[in-house]
Amino acid sequence: MPESVNRSWTIANRPYGYPKESDFAISETEVEDPKHGEILVRTLYLSLDPYMRGRLRDRRSYAIPVGIGDVMVGEGVGRVIASQSEDVAVGDIVACQIGWQEYAVVPAHTARVVDPSMAPISTALGVTGMPGLTAYHGLLAVGRPRPGDTVLVSAASGAVGAVVGQIAKMNGCRVIGTVGSQQKADYCIQELGYDAVINYKTEDVFARLAEAAPDGVDIYFDNVGGTVTDAAIENLALRGRVLVCGQISQYNLEEPEMAPRNLWNLITKQARIEGFLVFNFQNDHDVARARLASWVRDGSLKYREDIVDGFERAPRAFIGLMNGANFGKLLVKMSD
Ligand code: NAP
Ligand code: FER
């Protein structure tokens, strides 16, 4: 029988600037029984993602903000422990919108059954999940890389960035990454096969990029915004493109920077900037997921997970994501 108490992380205050641990509060409720069409899921892994910072803001976007006192939103992978649905069985592993909690009752149709023989189940939140799909569709469908292209990717060792860089290499591109530490730089070169890496915290990104991409950047896959993006725009190749995937350098600023001011480069280079959301590509997710999983199985797509042990640590780990403390896809492993 399931435990009777469910612990969840709720929002105590809307963060001002960088979130603090005191912006989150643990609450305990009874574990509920699923009703018709629902399943009860016990969380095994919880995903922590940059987009969650946006959900803490009091503004409407593609999703409504999390309210004060509400359980923090988040995707998880869990085991079905009770089911009132014919489509999902007790014992199945599912990926679903679980929230930051130990148990969740969710409509069965919103859960995706995960096949553990495809890839390790934790990857359903990373390399074969939302971040991997973002990299896959963003690079291939929006960026359309050609062999010989120079591809620049920021947050290059992260959940999205590491997949972008490796798929770019598979497509015959020259890959340059930007990262925030020497350890991440070494990983990108030694494990992921990048051609060059720039540490934006210790190096002059403008000068190093001009050196590393003498013929200019054909595709900049932007995960961060700020200075790195200014430098990328300054160094675009003819008909270069900037794919705006994320702007993490701005997420915790109360006054976002109003850069870039060097858009005249788009005229001279006849370049374009395009933003995209992973949700735009839902019809192609199954094919993409199968390809990502097959690359994981044959070893051509490497991935790194930063697994934090214990549900209590979720807020601290999330705060760390916002300043680069994570190294790889950030997950919380729930205690057994
Ligand atoms: P991640 O890269 O695994 O982790 C975030 C990384 O961002 C940190 O490790 C850090 O790496 C970097 N970072 C943090 N603060 C920074 C700052 N002030 N300036 C520059 N870099 C900073 O996270 P992820 O899940 O792969 O997400 C990467 C980006 O993709 C995020 O911007 C996210 O919002 C975006 N995204 C967009 C979509 C979409 O549909 N458009 C979907 C998923 C993700 P360093 O130590 O290297 O700085
Ligand atoms: C993300 C950053 C931003 C993301 C989604 C968004 C799924 C969308 C924001 C909006 O519509 O306001 O990392 O990941």
Side-chain angles (χ1 to χ4, degrees):
M1 273 305 287
E3 320 256 324
S4 59
V5 176
N6 173 38
R7 289 188 306 160
S8 32
W9 279 108
T10 59
I11 303 311
N13 308 294
R14 285 204 186 285
Y16 188 83
Y18 277 84
K20 302 183 292 299
E21 287 192 58
S22 58
D23 294 331
F24 301 87
I26 279 246
S27 96
E28 293 193 353
T29 51
E30 289 275 298
V31 175
E32 289 169 29
D33 291 325
K35 295 196 254 319
H36 181 69
E38 294 180 333
I39 52 176
L40 172 62
V41 182
R42 184 180 173 182
T43 315
L44 299 171
Y45 292 98
L46 178 65
S47 185
L48 297 178
D49 296 272
Y51 78 83
M52 292 170 174
R53 181 63 186 87
R55 301 294 297 277
L56 289 167
R57 279 184 198 284
D58 193 10
R59 68 167 166 80
R60 215 193 151 83
S61 68
Y62 73 101
I64 50 171
V66 189
I68 304 296
D70 287 355
V71 175
M72 182 60 190
V73 293
E75 231 201 340
V77 161
R79 189 182 301 282
V80 177
I81 56 174
S83 174
Q84 294 290 337
S85 157
E86 285 173 5
D87 303 325
V88 184
V90 169
D92 278 354
I93 301 292
V94 292
C96 61
Q97 183 51 238
I98 234 165
W100 289 21
Q101 51 188 345
E102 292 174 318
Y103 296 89
V105 171
V106 300
H109 70 88
T110 65
R112 186 172 64 80
V113 176
V114 172
D115 177 356
S117 71
M118 291 269 285
I121 61 168
S122 58
T123 67
L125 300 171
V127 63
T128 68
M130 189 277 282
L133 293 168
T134 302
Y136 181 100
H137 296 306
L139 182 68
L140 296 177
V142 188
R144 297 170 190 236
R146 286 169 301 227
D149 277 354
T150 294
V151 173
L152 172 70
V153 57
S154 47
S157 73
V160 174
V163 179
V164 170
Q166 292 179 90
I167 296 181
K169 287 302 299 179
M170 289 178 200
N171 281 271
C173 302
R174 197 162 166 270
V175 176
I176 305 168
T178 63
V179 294
S181 77
Q182 185 61 41
Q183 200 188 15
K184 291 178 180 179
D186 292 345
Y187 173 73
C188 288
I189 299 280
Q190 288 158 18
E191 300 289 328
L192 305 182
Y194 288 20
D195 298 282
V197 182
I198 303 168
N199 182 337
Y200 71 92
K201 289 188 180 161
T202 59
E203 297 183 281
D204 176 341
V205 185
F206 282 77
R208 282 280 289 114
L209 187 56
E211 218 171 81
D215 299 326
V217 171
D218 296 291
I219 299 179
Y220 170 44
F221 193 107
D222 186 9
N223 284 319
V224 304
T227 310
V228 179
T229 299
D230 295 345
I233 290 173
E234 203 65 35
N235 285 282
L236 284 174
L238 195 65
R239 294 192 214 294
R241 44 245 186 252
V242 177
L243 320 181
V244 183
C245 172
Q247 296 281 289
I248 197 167
S249 72
Q250 308 296 303
Y251 294 175
N252 296 288
L253 304 180
E254 287 304 322
E255 299 285 341
E257 296 166 338
M258 289 298 154
R261 298 186 189 207
N262 54 355
L263 292 185
W264 58 269
N265 284 288
L266 299 190
I267 305 167
T268 56
K269 301 295 167 43
Q270 296 129 77
R272 67 182 160 92
I273 300 192
E274 184 171 351
F276 69 91
L277 272 173
V278 62
F279 314 119
N280 300 148
F281 301 94
Q282 257 153 11
N283 293 342
D284 301 317
H285 277 2
D286 286 343
V287 172
R289 219 182 260 119
R291 290 189 80 192
L292 289 162
S294 77
W295 291 333
V296 166
R297 285 195 304 276
D298 73 21
S300 49
L301 184 60
K302 297 198 176 141
Y303 67 98
R304 190 183 162 101
E305 295 172 330
D306 187 333
I307 300 181
V308 172
D309 236 315
F311 183 59
E312 319 67 52
R313 299 202 170 97
R316 197 177 323 156
F318 175 64
I319 295 163
L321 181 67
M322 299 296 160
N323 59 28
N326 67 305
F327 185 7
K329 170 62 204 152
L330 184 59
L331 299 170
V332 173
K333 185 175 186 301
M334 310 294 277
S335 11
D336 298 322

